[in-house]
Amino acid sequence: MSNGFYEFFCPVKVVAGDAALEHIPFELGNLGSKKPLLVTDKGVRGAGLIEPVVAACEAGGVEVPLIFDDVPPDSSVEVVREIAQLYLNEQCDALIAVGGGSVIDTCKGANILVSEGGLDLSRFSGAGILKKPLKPFLVVPTTSGTGSEVTAVAVIADRAKGVKLPFSSGYLLPNAAILDPRMTLTLPPHITAATAMDAMTHAIEAYTCLARNPLSEAYAAAAVKKIAVNLPKVLEDGSDRQARLELAQASTMAGIAFSNSMVGLVHALGHALGAVCHIPHGVCMNLFLPYVLEYNLEKGTIREALGELLLPLAGAEVYAATPADSRAEKTVEVIRTLRDELYTACKLPRTLRETGKVEKAQLTRIADVALDDGSIIFNPAEASLEEVQALLERAW
Amino acid sequence: MIKKQQYAVQYAAKRAYVTTMMEVVGRALAALTREDPVARETIERLPEGFRFAMTVMPDGPGLMLRKNAQGVFVYEGAPRPGQKAELTILIKHIEHAFRMLTFQESTAQAFANDRMLVDGEIGYAVRLVRALNRLESIILPKLIAERAVKEVDDLPLTEKIQAATRVYGGVLKSLVDTGIKELSRQVRAA
Ligand SMILES: [Fe+2]
């Protein structure tokens, strides 16, 4: 069942497939840019992923004279400022982010500064502060999970003040997302699996939470199918370009879905576990997903939607062979089986204990933090502290 | 066909209802934090002096609450022009405020439906939404409450009635009833 009202917004041009990188010069030309600043991190550069981007640009008549490759794993206002200054000093006219969530968020922040002027990013923190379009901005994702290339938000740490600044505006969205199979080809199995399960969670929460809507549902269901089919293929053969591209597209589609219908308790718990125990986001998603679905199911809030997801997740045969009233449970079962496979393939933990990084004494703190997380608003069941604690016990 | 003027009359009626309800909810929320330990715990983490506002765009009506040294909310009336709160829930239109305050759409669902914006820290907003849910579950007749909040708190009925009388339950119930009657009258008229 969908709500009586919804909004849906995604103005990002998706440029996906073989030789997608070679479309960058044309896209920059469309945006009137001749001198882009490329932003990335040391890991991406070290993996040799910058060369094909720069080569594609130069062969297409666009010089890339500047590369900033010093984005840390957690973006910060200082780095954003550094990039903005470089951009202004060198009179650049566009930004290209090549990387994962942190590089993309950092670039969103830098785009605010170079477009709005000044070096104080905190002035623009909050929702709907930006009132006009920013500078031309392209994103080339190098992981398939966060969906940041199609989300209108960024989170950037202000270490001096000890806070994380949230930014939310449609103007943060890039002009185009470039999905090229070359960019994720070398991603190691455990990161491939964790980020794919982040995307899977985006899709499933988008499909089952309070702000679900018909357009998000379509993207979410299609993303679930792509991940279910292609993640095992990629883990079997990391060099399967087609399957890699399918995962990259699924991640973008799941990103479009959840940026228009939000996420729920899996993310609230995942953000909390990430903050308290420093466990990567995708690992947290994989860990909590079945437990939260079971919880929401028990509370009677997601049976129909979860049952529908069995079709894209497990295929027509399994769907048809499962009686309608047990499809929701079957969906959870299929997710659990997938997680077992991921554990066998690359030791992706399924429980808090299996992470080896969580103390039982920390559960109360995790529950506490989760209860303050914005995502919890959109969870279909109203979770109390006691219930969240019980859920954590089950996930132990 | 409804004429433009009829719409204007409806909006004026809704504005009047919302204006009254903003005050009722403001006072009720203040009373709730005085009477109910659960609600008090919900706002425990808000700093002393913290102001919470809920207002309808572009220029009200609205409510303003301040957390005092005793850890309870004090109702401060409607927000004055230009007055800033630590957390403001901005409802985009009087129609959405009317739906929320006749409890046809829960606060969480109103968020999900993009009916409102949050100006301030989202962690605080989560707590305020929870406090509003608590208020609704306690003071509303069960039938209405089930529609308004995701889940009705499982309080024994007697406690509920007791708590309700203490938090202006009677006033609220009659108001909501009037609001819903008004709405159905308008639906029939339309
Ligand atoms: Fe996520």
Side-chain angles (χ1 to χ4, degrees):
Chain A
M1 188 203 72
S2 286
N3 301 320
F5 175 88
Y6 67 92
E7 293 180 4
F8 187 94
F9 181 64
C10 183
V12 180
K13 179 170 181 176
V14 175
V15 178
D18 282 331
L21 294 178
E22 281 75 7
H23 283 256
I24 293 176
F26 177 79
E27 293 304 325
L28 288 171
N30 268 350
L31 297 162
S33 163
K34 292 190 180 69
K35 193 178 178 187
L37 171 59
L38 196 154
V39 177
T40 187
D41 63 33
K42 293 266 194 297
V44 170
R45 194 165 197 179
L49 296 175
I50 296 305
E51 283 84 355
V53 179
V54 173
C57 285
E58 289 179 350
V62 176
E63 293 301 311
V64 186
L66 285 166
I67 296 169
F68 181 94
D69 69 357
D70 218 5
V71 177
D74 280 311
S75 47
S76 71
V77 289
E78 288 79 16
V79 179
V80 167
R81 219 178 284 146
E82 219 178 306
I83 294 168
Q85 245 153 359
L86 185 63
Y87 180 104
L88 296 170
N89 289 347
E90 301 293 331
Q91 295 176 309
C92 295
D93 55 14
L95 286 158
I96 305 178
V98 184
S102 174
V103 169
I104 298 171
D105 274 15
T106 301
C107 244
K108 286 174 178 172
N111 202 9
I112 295 175
L113 289 187
V114 299
S115 306
E116 292 284 338
L119 292 173
D120 180 11
L121 195 59
S122 65
R123 284 200 296 140
F124 304 100
S125 178
I129 309 288
L130 300 171
K131 298 296 182 203
K132 59 180 200 295
L134 308 182
K135 299 290 182 193
F137 177 29
L138 303 185
V139 172
V140 186
T142 58
T143 63
S144 298
T146 66
S148 306
E149 67 279 9
V150 285
T151 63
V153 295
V155 179
I156 296 162
D158 188 340
R159 297 232 169 72
K161 291 187 191 138
V163 291
K164 285 193 166 182
L165 300 173
F167 300 85
S168 160
S169 163
Y171 294 127
L172 293 176
L173 288 161
N175 300 88
I178 319 290
L179 311 180
D180 190 299
R182 281 171 284 179
M183 301 313 276
T184 51
L185 222 44
T186 54
L187 211 57
H190 70 282
I191 299 182
T192 302
T195 50
M197 289 308 283
D198 184 23
M200 177 74 98
T201 307
H202 293 156
I204 293 178
E205 293 212 288
Y207 202 93
T208 54
C209 288
L210 281 187
R212 61 180 302 207
N213 65 72
L215 296 177
S216 281
E217 278 168 23
Y219 282 97
V224 167
K225 183 174 175 181
K226 282 195 188 305
I227 298 164
V229 171
N230 292 287
L231 179 54
K233 285 190 192 172
V234 167
L235 290 178
E236 186 136 310
D237 174 12
S239 64
D240 185 336
R241 295 168 70 97
Q242 189 53 38
R244 285 282 190 191
L245 180 62
E246 292 292 326
L247 280 188
Q249 291 176 91
S251 166
T252 298
M253 292 163 82
I256 293 172
F258 94 85
S259 87
N260 283 284
S261 64
M262 311 312 285
V263 282
L265 185 55
V266 186
H267 271 79
L269 282 166
H271 293 152
L273 181 60
V276 176
C277 302
H278 310 286
I279 292 172
H281 179 68
V283 173
C284 300
M285 296 299 99
N286 178 65
L287 197 160
F288 286 126
L289 183 57
Y291 298 103
V292 171
L293 292 177
E294 273 164 359
Y295 165 78
N296 279 336
L297 196 54
E298 277 164 29
K299 302 275 277 191
T301 52
I302 59 166
R303 174 163 295 280
E304 193 188 336
L306 199 58
E308 287 167 9
L309 283 177
L310 183 61
L311 181 60
L313 186 67
E317 270 174 46
V318 174
Y319 182 81
T322 311
D325 61 359
S326 52
R327 281 180 187 145
E329 282 80 3
K330 184 73 180 173
T331 301
V332 180
E333 191 191 311
V334 173
I335 290 168
R336 282 186 176 278
T337 309
L338 174 61
R339 288 187 343 141
D340 291 342
E341 287 163 14
L342 299 180
Y343 184 76
T344 311
C346 47
K347 288 278 168 294
L348 207 59
R350 294 159 295 185
T351 61
L352 291 164
R353 198 190 352 217
E354 279 178 1
T355 65
K357 287 182 186 164
V358 185
E359 306 277 331
K360 212 149 189 203
Q362 291 174 302
L363 297 194
T364 313
R365 173 91 189 109
I366 296 166
D368 226 40
V369 175
L371 233 61
D372 274 350
D373 189 89
S375 303
I376 208 166
I377 294 183
F378 303 102
N379 194 64
E382 172 94 37
S384 69
L385 182 62
E386 293 72 29
E387 288 172 333
V388 171
Q389 276 170 334
L391 198 159
L392 287 170
E393 288 288 340
R394 272 199 261 172
W396 176 255
Chain B
M1 267 300 274
I2 309 180
K3 291 198 186 74
K4 191 179 160 211
Q5 205 167 9
Q6 280 172 292
Y7 275 119
V9 171
Q10 285 184 14
Y11 285 136
K14 286 174 181 175
R15 181 174 296 272
Y17 172 82
V18 170
T19 306
T20 313
M21 275 306 281
M22 282 288 183
E23 178 168 353
V24 171
V25 167
R27 289 187 188 283
L29 210 49
L32 185 73
T33 58
R34 284 198 302 272
E35 305 289 341
D36 175 30
V38 177
R40 213 155 39 241
E41 205 192 301
T42 303
I43 65 161
E44 198 179 75
R45 216 163 285 166
L46 310 181
E48 188 191 330
F50 180 94
R51 280 194 165 83
F52 164 62
M54 183 158 74
T55 183
V56 183
M57 291 168 88
D59 53 3
L63 65 84
M64 178 81 86
L65 291 159
R66 181 178 49 82
K67 193 180 159 190
N68 71 6
Q70 284 72 50
V72 304
F73 272 145
V74 179
Y75 175 65
E76 294 201 320
R80 292 185 296 279
Q83 194 184 12
K84 258 308 250 176
E86 273 72 24
L87 178 78
T88 304
I89 291 180
L90 292 153
I91 305 170
K92 289 181 183 172
H93 195 277
I94 193 74
E95 175 66 31
H96 310 323
F98 182 76
R99 281 165 188 254
M100 269 175 69
L101 293 170
T102 45
F103 309 101
Q104 302 174 69
E105 197 165 271
S106 74
T107 319
Q109 192 65 57
F111 265 115
N113 289 4
D114 295 297
R115 308 293 200 192
M116 48 204 197
L117 304 170
V118 171
D119 183 6
E121 246 180 74
I122 194 76
Y124 292 146
V126 173
R127 298 200 156 247
L128 262 305
V129 169
R130 204 167 284 137
L132 282 164
N133 282 350
R134 176 81 183 163
L135 175 73
E136 288 168 6
S137 71
I138 287 182
I139 60 178
L140 292 177
K142 197 168 188 308
L143 254 177
I144 299 177
E146 271 169 356
R147 188 177 53 209
V149 295
K150 287 190 243 174
E151 250 166 70
V152 181
D153 273 325
D154 197 13
L155 296 171
L157 191 63
T158 43
E159 194 196 333
K160 212 168 178 171
I161 292 164
Q162 219 182 7
T165 44
R166 269 186 297 182
V167 287
Y168 304 90
V171 183
L172 190 62
K173 186 183 175 320
S174 67
L175 252 170
V176 174
D177 286 348
T178 319
I180 287 170
K181 268 187 215 132
E182 176 66 15
L183 178 82
S184 46
R185 195 182 62 77
Q186 282 165 6
V187 169
R188 275 199 305 275

